[in-house]
Amino acid sequence: MSILLFLLLGTLTTLALGQGTRVGFYRTTCPRVESIVRSTVESGIQSNPRARPGLLRMFFHDCFVNGCDASILIDGPSAEKTAAPNVPIRGFEVIDAAKTQLEATCPGVVSCADILALAARDSVVLSGGTSWEVPTGRRDGLVSQASDTANLPAFNDPISVQIRKFADKGLNTQDLVTLVGGHTIGTAACAVFSYRLYNFNNTNGPDPDINQAFLPQLRALCPNNGDGSTRVGLDTGSVNNFDNSYYANLRNGRGVLESDAKLWSDPTTQRFVQRFLGVRGLPGMRFDVEFGRSMVKMGNTELKTGSQGEIRRVCTATN
């Protein structure tokens, strides 16, 4: 076999196996894909404002469980969607609506995984964030098990555990601080943080990371033994705007989740928060720019491309 033929066969094998995504993957096969997804997301957010943070969280939770393969969208009695961290997520109907339109326009072409990646970007943009180019070409997985969500980042994870969970996905500490900044939009139920307000770690007092001036506000929203389903904004004063005020709140002791508050109290992550805030003496970083970069990086986690996976015709089913 000649060297040229050997190299050609190697190149074709690489393409067949699928070695990543690229911007404009559907340029010839479904040129309207991005405009269709964006208009669907816009309509979905108008109908259900909770879909705004929901679509972003949905993509995050999908990528952290067996890669970005849209397995979070699959219905079933023990599917990922039924796991406790995913039950509160809103916006699944937006993905379904986009898929229906795309199947009518480009049947069997666009994966549910790519729709979810585009919708997450669009939810950020429609919340005032900066856009970024989304590489596409993912294929969909067929396995969705609630038990696989056990390693999702949790609201009470210490920084060491958060760093390990992100590192397991090829994401570094800067990516961690950047991506958790997505909490600048969205809410959390009292049930996942009210323990910080009253008897934190059996001390008969609140979590010392909470600003004492902020404590009465949280206690009024989440009274002791009150309704755990009441939802509270994660970025006080800017809950619907995608901006870096989330980091200012962390600095000021106004982080709602324990895992968020630790981003400031732990020096390992604090320096990245400071850089987003433009603290003198440290090289500054723009949150809007870095967020897009980290989203692309996360979006290439454990991908199925090429001959791997499939294109599901209905995102909630495995065909």
Side-chain angles (χ1 to χ4, degrees), residues 79 82 110 129 136 160 175 181 197 214 220 250 310:
T82 68
V110 182
T136 46
S160 59
D175 294 317
L197 310 181
F214 187 43
L250 297 186
E310 66 171 46

Side-chain angles (χ1 to χ4, degrees), residues 32-54:
R32 293 183 55 225
V33 57
E34 295 207 20
S35 62
I36 289 173
V37 172
R38 182 185 172 94
S39 64
T40 306
V41 171
E42 191 166 13
S43 298
I45 288 174
Q46 289 175 351
S47 300
N48 179 9
R50 283 185 63 186
R52 185 194 309 267

Side-chain angles (χ1 to χ4, degrees), residues 151-167 173 176 180 195 200-201 207 209 257-269:
N151 287 325
L152 280 171
F155 59 83
N156 57 353
D157 280 344
I159 290 299
S160 59
V161 173
Q162 293 186 60
I163 290 174
R164 175 180 58 77
K165 288 181 177 180
F166 276 73
T173 304
L176 158 64
V180 175
Y195 67 93
F200 182 68
N201 289 345
D207 184 342
D209 284 341
L257 301 180
E258 182 183 358
S259 56
D260 286 5
K262 296 298 184 189
L263 294 178
W264 178 258
S265 62
D266 191 298
T268 309
T269 47

